Amino acid sequence: MPVPGRTIRPPLEPFKAKVIEAIRVPTAEEREAALQRAGFNLFNLTSDDVFIDLLTDSGTSAMSDRQWAAMMLGDETYAGSRNFAHFESVVQELTGFPYVIPAHQGRAAENLLFTQFARPGTTIPNNMHFDTTRTHVMRNGARAVNLAIPEAYQVDLDFPFKGNMDTGRLSELLRSASAGEVPLVMMTLTNNTGGGQPVSLENLTEVSRICHTAGVPLYLDMCRWAENAYFVRLREPAQQGRSIREIGRAIFDLADGATMSAKKDGLVNIGGFVATRDPALADRMKEELIVFEGFPTYGGLARRDLEAASVGLLEATDLAYLEHRIGQVRFLADQLDAEGVPFLHPPGGHGIYLDVRRFLPHLPVQQLPGQALVVELYREGAVRTVEVGGIMFGDGESPESAPALELVRLAIPRRAYSSAHLEYVAGVVAAVFRRRAAIRGMKMTYEPERLRHFTARFAPLSG
Ligand code: F0G
């Protein structure tokens, strides 16, 4: 809870607007019609239906003038693009990984990595799998295991590094595994599905030691690594004087490679890569890349996209940028706290995660409370959010299948919305919170087999 009488101040923007995009609040009737058309799945809304879009922070950033200028430098060469050479050198400089393979986004990078490692009978641990990561592990026949620390599941607990992996469980898993059963360990920075919570450098050091003692490679999902490094700088006493890039190198030095969706901390609208220290693995992934994404000097991207990412990857390490970025999340958190709205603590790097179980305690998991909340936030003020709970991760039907956390994420795009927008969002959430007792559940009317949250359809429960 904020200190009584303290004013909640917005973070100062270290930038000003040069280009704007008009947005408007659809009327209550328009919102109702849009919900019907969308089958109550907010992934089916069009952008004109939405006022403030907090569905994702992925590919939704505002690019800088320098990135737009870089777009004009795209050589649009199939093979041997100088833009790729620049991109490769930026990733090498930031991470120290020598082999860099571009891909059109994070899940394409995951596809390249997991088709090499995941097999039936293997187990792939993660601190907390993201949905696409888990899907890539499972579609190759492997088992995805989350080894988050127990603190990660205590929504109210103000613990600085809830993204940490339980090193005791990791040691035990590796000790009891047969040779080759765990082909790699992955750490997601920040953890996203657990609230955008960071991993400490101390924890990563221990995870790396355990992996390498067992001869198992450690890969990072580095989508939001700069935000993670910011928290390390802020919360880990030994790291306080260091730059984001120095902390980054300390992190990457512990790993064998990484996948990245540059749509997050690359500050671009499309792009990603997989990087490794293993030349033979890089060659095998490049062969796959050519089949599915394109030649290794563009990887499914226009060369101008690579150039914009080269600039964005470095901009995301700027401390003034990160202070504003994380400051926006905290600004929204402070306002929700003042209204008594329950959300996962502490606020994470890229958004607020409402605690659905306490927001709508009268709705059992079978009545899809997260989806009901997402729908009400849209209905109230055309704010689009996403369920991260039973629909994304459980079978949504039995309490036993319910994931440990039932959340609704308000993901904040980078550099896109103003403080006034965030105050509006806080007002919408507070209004829904005040009328929460009257909110009814939902049912699923169409259920796809994989990644069902994207395309499922829903209907309100009558009664
Ligand atoms: N890993 C993490 C931790 C992610 O958050 C995402 C995407 C991916 C991998 C896949 O990257 O979208 O470029 O293919 N997260 C987005 C989100 C979709 O909304 O959190 P992608």
Side-chain angles (χ1 to χ4, degrees), residues 96-422:
F97 299 133
Y99 304 101
V100 180
I101 298 169
H104 79 274
Q105 61 181 78
R107 66 199 73 182
E110 288 170 353
N111 182 38
L112 293 169
L113 186 71
F114 289 116
T115 47
Q116 295 303 320
F117 281 102
R119 295 277 174 279
T122 62
T123 295
I124 298 184
N126 202 314
N127 47 340
M128 217 182 263
H129 279 92
F130 181 64
D131 62 351
T132 59
T133 323
R134 189 181 72 141
T135 303
H136 277 291
V137 167
M138 288 165 55
R139 73 189 283 271
N140 287 294
R143 194 166 67 100
V145 183
N146 283 354
L147 296 181
I149 52 170
E151 289 86 343
Y153 299 106
Q154 298 172 39
V155 275
D156 275 340
L157 184 72
D158 250 318
F159 188 80
F161 292 105
K162 281 185 166 179
N164 283 354
M165 185 176 268
D166 187 328
T167 49
R169 288 175 66 202
L170 176 67
S171 297
E172 190 43 49
L173 180 74
L174 293 181
R175 197 167 328 124
S176 59
S178 56
E181 190 181 328
V182 179
L184 88 165
V185 172
M186 193 129 190
M187 288 289 278
T188 306
L189 316 177
T190 57
N191 73 359
N192 195 5
T193 43
Q197 302 293 318
V199 179
S200 71
L201 188 54
E202 192 185 9
N203 182 253
L204 268 173
T205 305
E206 183 59 9
V207 168
S208 170
R209 191 191 62 75
I210 295 168
C211 289
H212 293 133
T213 306
V216 174
L218 171 64
Y219 276 76
L220 307 176
D221 177 335
M222 59 177 281
C223 289
R224 298 180 180 84
W225 77 270
E227 290 166 5
N228 197 105
Y230 177 85
F231 284 120
V232 165
R233 186 177 192 276
L234 194 70
R235 297 177 183 168
E236 224 169 325
Q239 306 302 325
Q240 281 170 4
R242 299 177 84 184
S243 72
I244 297 299
R245 286 190 211 175
E246 280 174 319
I247 294 171
R249 272 309 284 267
I251 290 173
F252 300 123
D253 283 351
L254 296 168
D256 299 276
T259 55
M260 179 162 188
S261 167
K263 297 168 73 177
K264 285 89 169 169
D265 281 356
L267 292 169
V268 282
N269 305 120
I270 197 73
F273 62 84
V274 50
T276 180
R277 299 187 198 282
D278 179 342
L281 173 67
D283 284 344
R284 293 198 304 274
M285 291 196 291
K286 277 185 202 167
E287 284 174 31
E288 284 291 298
L289 182 83
I290 293 170
V291 178
F292 291 103
E293 292 276 298
F295 197 71
T297 55
Y298 72 88
L301 292 160
R303 272 55 69 199
R304 54 180 174 272
D305 296 328
L306 286 168
E307 199 58 41
S310 304
V311 178
L313 283 164
L314 296 179
E315 283 182 358
T317 66
D318 177 58
L319 205 53
Y321 153 77
L322 282 166
E323 262 159 15
H324 170 261
R325 162 81 183 138
I326 310 285
Q328 278 209 316
V329 178
R330 205 179 311 117
F331 177 60
L332 179 56
D334 285 347
Q335 292 172 80
L336 296 177
D337 244 349
E339 297 286 343
V341 172
F343 61 88
L344 191 146
H345 279 263
H350 66 287
I352 297 292
Y353 291 62
L354 300 176
D355 179 9
V356 177
R357 293 204 177 106
R358 275 190 306 151
F359 203 115
L360 298 174
H362 60 291
L363 295 184
V365 63
Q366 299 90 327
Q367 296 188 17
L368 312 180
Q371 193 61 22
L373 182 50
V374 156
V375 165
E376 290 308 323
L377 293 171
Y378 176 74
R379 185 172 267 145
E380 183 69 33
V383 175
R384 176 156 67 169
T385 57
V386 69
E387 191 255 19
V388 181
I391 298 168
M392 195 182 272
F393 288 107
D395 69 17
E397 270 149 30
S398 54
E400 304 76 53
S401 83
L405 298 169
E406 189 72 40
L407 306 167
V408 161
R409 185 182 72 173
L410 284 64
I412 305 193
R414 294 165 182 79
R415 307 191 289 210
Y417 288 115
S418 70
S419 307
H421 288 135
L422 297 179

Side-chain angles (χ1 to χ4, degrees), residues 44-55:
N44 291 333
L45 295 177
T46 68
S47 51
D48 289 340
D49 298 328
V50 178
F51 180 49
I52 306 291
D53 203 345
L54 306 185
L55 183 76

Side-chain angles (χ1 to χ4, degrees), residues 57-70:
D57 64 317
S58 180
T60 52
S61 304
M63 290 210 297
S64 68
D65 49 358
R66 285 164 197 274
Q67 286 179 285
W68 281 108

